[in-house]
Amino acid sequence: MNAQTPDFKELTDRMRRELTRVTRLRRVVRVLLVIVYSATLLWFVFCLFGGYLLASADYATNVQTSQYILYGFILFCVLHFAFMRELHSLGEREGALMEHIVGELFPEARFNPAGAVNREALAASRLFSESTSLSGLETTSYGRIEIPVGEEVMSVCDVGITSLQGRDLAANPFSMLYRSLVRPIFGTRVESTMHSFRGMFGYCRTERKFRGYVLLLPDHLENKVGYLAQSIQRIRQKNGAKFVHLEDPEFESLFAVYADDEVEARMVLTPAMMRRMTELRRSFNRDLMISFRGDTLYFASETPDGFLRPGRRSLGDERLLEQFWREITFCRTVEAEMK
């Protein structure tokens, strides 16, 4: 490793006790979550079809069934209380762990687990809406870090974005039931299941002012079904964004570039910039969305585990720290390149 790259394995070893505690607590929360949500789902099914079964039963059977339901309800309340308590404890431990990680990797950064996302910046990025309006979208922040970049400060948030169109129970009963009861059982994080997008969103002012806007979107996303794919299609239709062909096959295999000024897009995306973006995208295998507008750089990456939460799959080794460090370092590199 070079002098500028931390020793992720050594840092992970020093944090092993904290990581182990979070891992154990997650297992407890996962078991309680499966029990509580499965019981809720079974109760919902019983409410729909139980009447037909009880109608054909005799009085004694109905009385006995009522007793079982009462006992089950008491047990459910106890388990639900334990689940909420352990979930709250997990959130506190994860916040403390991330504060430690940020402090180790970026001593100059400020971490605020209760920091809110700037909705104006979110709207101006046009990464989640076809216009500079967030009407129809609800935003939730799970923390924010602020890192000095030269004379400016880069803000990076762990944000959840929910499309209000999908939350109408009358219009989407099966979708709402799936997202409310079924998806949490199999999802990575219970609080992320209702979101259309959960992950990293960051922005930073640059010394350069861009003409119009330039969008870099995952090349494969348009062919998928979902909120982000639909949003990208609306962005192109609403703003008249034109596809820009660049002479870098590897870069274009990862990103599709849209802009209202092709010359500006080529000035922004220099060969060196495209190489850096390609390297980062290859390094952590995660989709990136980037936009340049006005005097600000915006970027986002979907992380169902949560951006400012320890990743489930990398909790036991140094990949957790390395991925987080690479993401933040990339953002600083792009901002420096804009100078």
Side-chain angles (χ1 to χ4, degrees):
M1 293 186 180
N2 57 50
Q4 296 180 342
T5 305
D7 187 338
F8 301 111
K9 184 171 180 56
E10 188 271 336
L11 284 174
T12 301
D13 290 339
R14 284 199 280 118
M15 296 182 183
R16 185 67 61 190
R17 179 176 295 181
E18 297 174 69
L19 291 167
T20 301
R21 288 175 178 172
V22 170
T23 301
R24 291 174 179 171
L25 192 53
R26 276 191 179 180
R27 290 171 182 166
V28 173
V29 170
R30 169 54 58 178
V31 171
L32 290 173
L33 182 149
V34 171
I35 294 174
V36 168
Y37 276 83
S38 297
T40 305
L41 183 61
L42 290 174
W43 174 251
F44 180 79
V45 173
F46 178 79
C47 290
L48 290 178
F49 305 105
Y52 298 103
L53 299 176
L54 296 177
S56 58
D58 56 27
Y59 177 77
T61 301
N62 286 334
V63 171
Q64 190 175 33
T65 301
S66 300
Q67 291 177 341
Y68 289 149
I69 291 175
L70 178 61
Y71 297 149
F73 178 74
I74 294 174
L75 178 60
F76 173 82
C77 290
V78 172
L79 291 173
H80 184 269
F81 174 78
F83 168 64
M84 296 303 297
R85 182 177 179 179
E86 294 301 300
L87 184 64
H88 177 73
S89 178
L90 176 62
E92 290 184 337
R93 285 192 178 275
E94 286 185 330
L97 176 60
M98 287 308 301
E99 186 172 13
H100 189 178
I101 291 174
V102 172
E104 290 280 357
L105 297 179
F106 305 99
E108 73 281 13
R110 291 184 297 174
F111 172 68
N112 183 356
V117 64
N118 186 324
R119 282 182 60 89
E120 293 181 359
L122 204 65
S125 72
R126 292 192 180 182
L127 293 174
F128 306 99
S129 176
E130 66 272 19
S131 65
T132 55
S133 170
L134 291 181
S135 58
L137 297 179
E138 184 179 89
T139 61
T140 306
S141 179
Y142 297 95
R144 183 183 70 236
I145 59 175
E146 296 178 343
I147 303 177
V149 181
E151 297 181 356
E152 298 294 338
V153 175
M154 178 173 62
S155 296
V156 192
C157 305
D158 185 353
V159 64
I161 298 177
T162 307
S163 174
L164 298 181
Q165 296 178 352
R167 297 185 64 176
D168 186 351
L169 180 60
N172 306 279
F174 295 106
S175 175
M176 276 296 297
L177 290 174
Y178 168 75
R179 296 179 71 173
S180 301
L181 298 178
V182 180
R183 191 175 172 187
I185 298 176
F186 303 99
T188 55
R189 301 194 70 90
V190 62
E191 72 269 23
S192 298
T193 55
M194 292 301 292
H195 296 317
S196 308
F197 172 92
R198 170 74 189 274
M200 170 181 70
F201 171 72
Y203 56 95
C204 183
R205 294 184 61 185
T206 68
E207 295 181 359
R208 174 177 178 177
K209 189 173 180 65
F210 306 101
R211 298 194 304 270
Y213 62 91
V214 180
L215 295 174
L216 279 70
L217 305 171
D219 184 58
H220 63 90
L221 199 56
E222 289 181 81
N223 299 323
K224 288 189 173 183
V225 177
Y227 167 74
L228 286 179
Q230 296 173 359
S231 180
I232 287 174
Q233 294 168 2
R234 291 196 299 267
I235 287 172
R236 293 176 57 199
Q237 297 169 358
K238 183 83 173 180
N239 299 297
K242 296 175 287 188
F243 174 76
V244 180
H245 175 68
L246 300 168
E247 293 72 27
D248 189 327
E250 188 175 10
F251 176 83
E252 290 198 325
S253 69
L254 300 173
F255 295 101
V257 180
Y258 299 94
D260 57 356
D261 188 326
E262 183 174 344
V263 175
E264 180 72 1
R266 292 180 178 277
M267 292 179 65
V268 170
L269 298 173
T270 63
M273 175 70 77
M274 287 190 288
R275 283 195 300 270
R276 291 172 189 263
M277 292 182 176
T278 299
E279 289 172 3
L280 178 79
R281 176 60 178 81
R282 298 287 190 198
S283 69
F284 65 89
N285 194 31
R286 182 179 297 166
D287 284 336
L288 279 169
M289 302 186 295
I290 301 172
S291 68
F292 306 93
R293 188 168 184 269
D295 62 350
T296 306
L297 157 74
Y298 305 93
F299 51 91
S301 179
E302 190 166 23
T303 54
D305 279 345
F307 169 59
L308 293 178
R309 293 291 185 272
R312 183 178 67 174
R313 295 180 179 86
S314 59
L315 193 59
D317 58 43
E318 59 271 17
R319 287 180 299 166
L320 167 66
L321 305 183
E322 183 175 3
Q323 178 169 295
F324 182 72
W325 181 83
R326 287 185 180 278
E327 290 169 349
I328 299 300
T329 301
F330 167 78
C331 301
R332 304 169 90 177
T333 299
V334 173
E335 197 280 336
E337 186 76 15
M338 290 299 97
K339 297 181 180 179

